[in-house]
Amino acid sequence: MGRFFTVGAMSGLTVTNVIPDKALLQRNMRSYDQAIRDYFCKRIPEIIDHTVKA
């Protein structure tokens, strides 16, 4: 317990029905454990990078 990650919003901005050049991800992260925060900060960009390359 004590770790939370919330995706607050995801948006392809103003483009609909087309894969946009840019997207916006707003998130919130809370944890009492610094190691968990460090892990999330490292993994989020990696996950996004792997997702967009798929």
Side-chain angles (χ1 to χ4, degrees):
M1 300 251 315
R3 36 182 193 237
F4 302 95
F5 183 81
T6 304
V7 174
M10 288 179 62
S11 174
L13 305 175
T14 60
V15 180
T16 59
N17 202 27
V18 175
I19 298 173
D21 292 333
K22 296 181 181 180
L24 174 66
L25 171 68
Q26 295 177 312
R27 47 95 180 127
N28 187 6
M29 176 178 43
R30 296 179 188 203
S31 175
Y32 294 115
D33 187 338
Q34 182 64 43
I36 297 291
R37 290 192 299 273
D38 292 343
Y39 177 77
F40 275 136
C41 287
K42 177 182 176 238
R43 288 293 293 145
I44 291 167
E46 292 172 351
I47 292 168
I48 291 170
D49 185 56
H50 289 259
T51 300
V52 300
K53 288 180 179 177

